[in-house]
Amino acid sequence: MRKQRLVVFSGAGVSAESGLRTFRDADGLWEQYPIEEVATPEAWQRDPRKVLHFYDLRRAQVLAALPNAAHRAIADLEEWFEVDVVTQNIDDLHERAGSSRVMHLHGEITLARSTVDPTFVTPVNGPSLRWGDRCPLGSQLRPHIVWFGEPVPMIEAAAERIAKADLLVVVGTSLQVYPAAGLVHYLHPAAALHLVDPMDPPSGMARARHWKQKASAGMPALASHLISALSDR
Ligand code: OAD
């Protein structure tokens, strides 16, 4: 029998218990750093050093963070399911926990890219990407992040994966940012839908089975449930 296709669609909440702040919870990142000052192309034009500094702080925290029980439970599901992780997160904690197929919708903090040739992407060595760090064509390197107002290059590939999924697990996202938030609508009506989040479900998730817990508890519980349901098939 073929393995069932399971997509995990994750957001900042899955990394919260690894010490990485979410964006919109109380004390979220966007409260301290307004989006228009650090996460738009206009912010980069106006004050690139400020933008670099904001992402340097994020990178330093990611490098110091470790995957938690939720990332590990997701990675372990690969033994039982064909798993794709579609994440809005820019950290690499899914990969470090052992997930082998991870699609980063909003970019990756450990990478930089050229400002004249978007195909030139290079690792950032250490926590800092500096003003004056240049690509081979001589342009300033920018964080490899999708800013507000920019297209999301992976969105179609992600929609395809979700459309083919037998199960979708949505974990730790407020589903407030489009086009990513619209991905859940690609799920086939007959496919199973689970939500892991300690808060009430956002609109559009009414049919989901809600595991109203933090990810480090809810994700292992859901994984056990999914694995034991396999033996009933
Ligand atoms: P948000 O900060 O909008 O939402 C975080 C979600 O995680 C909320 O639903 C919380 O209830 C939930 N949460 C908090 N702690 C949790 C925990 N321990 N376990 C499980 N869930 C928990 O973050 P995202 O939805 O990821 O984009 O935000 C989406 C995008 O908006 C981000 O990728 C980023 C941001 O602006 C860009 O920067 C382009």
Side-chain angles (χ1 to χ4, degrees), residues 9-18 20-25 28-30 35 39 54-55 68 70 87-90 105-107 145-149 152 171-178 180 195-200 202 211 213-218:
F9 178 40
S10 68
V14 79
S15 297
E17 290 159 273
S18 294
L20 303 179
R21 278 162 72 187
T22 61
F23 296 96
R24 295 178 183 77
D25 288 305
L29 275 172
W30 294 148
I35 288 175
F54 171 73
Y55 286 104
N68 65 51
T87 187
Q88 297 164 88
N89 298 344
I90 59 176
L105 293 176
H106 293 160
I145 301 291
V146 173
W147 287 324
F148 285 87
V152 179
V171 51
T173 173
S174 61
L175 293 175
Q176 301 231 348
V177 174
Y178 285 81
L195 171 68
V196 181
D197 199 297
M199 302 302 278
D200 288 337
W211 302 71
Q213 286 170 285
K214 290 186 172 180
S216 68

Side-chain angles (χ1 to χ4, degrees), residues 19-233:
L20 303 179
R21 278 162 72 187
T22 61
F23 296 96
R24 295 178 183 77
D25 288 305
D27 195 34
L29 275 172
W30 294 148
E31 221 169 81
Q32 188 179 354
Y33 304 95
I35 288 175
E36 56 281 5
E37 289 182 19
V38 293
T40 65
E42 294 75 22
W44 176 250
Q45 291 305 323
R46 204 168 42 238
D47 193 346
R49 287 180 180 83
K50 186 173 190 173
V51 174
L52 288 171
H53 179 65
F54 171 73
Y55 286 104
D56 280 356
L57 295 175
R58 310 277 72 73
R59 197 176 299 105
Q61 288 178 4
V62 166
L63 292 177
L66 293 172
N68 65 51
H71 299 103
R72 289 195 295 274
I74 292 165
D76 291 348
L77 281 169
E78 290 189 14
E79 190 179 328
W80 307 91
F81 297 89
E82 193 184 309
V83 181
D84 280 289
V85 177
V86 174
T87 187
Q88 297 164 88
N89 298 344
I90 59 176
D91 66 58
D92 59 356
L93 297 182
H94 283 301
E95 287 92 336
R96 281 199 262 148
S99 283
S100 51
R101 287 213 301 259
V102 184
M103 197 181 277
H104 287 271
L105 293 176
H106 293 160
E108 295 176 61
I109 191 66
T110 51
L111 300 176
R113 78 168 178 269
S114 162
T115 39
V116 294
D117 173 9
T119 65
F120 181 83
V121 175
T122 185
V124 179
N125 296 313
S128 302
L129 180 59
R130 293 189 183 81
W131 184 246
D133 285 349
R134 296 181 183 281
C135 80
L137 294 172
S139 83
Q140 173 65 40
L141 288 169
R142 60 167 273 183
H144 186 51
I145 301 291
V146 173
W147 287 324
F148 285 87
E150 294 186 319
V152 179
M154 306 298 283
I155 200 75
E156 280 178 25
E160 262 172 47
R161 296 279 160 82
I162 290 175
K164 287 186 187 149
D166 300 300
L167 308 97
L168 177 63
V169 172
V170 178
V171 51
T173 173
S174 61
L175 293 175
Q176 301 231 348
V177 174
Y178 285 81
L183 284 172
V184 293
H185 302 300
Y186 286 85
L187 186 67
H188 192 280
L193 176 60
H194 295 267
L195 171 68
V196 181
D197 199 297
M199 302 302 278
D200 288 337
S203 61
M205 292 298 287
R207 89 166 172 93
R209 174 160 176 189
H210 189 187
W211 302 71
K212 199 169 184 211
Q213 286 170 285
K214 290 186 172 180
S216 68
M219 204 48 240
L222 168 56
S224 301
H225 165 80
L226 295 175
I227 293 164
S228 57
L230 286 176
S231 54
D232 303 335
R233 286 177 82 206

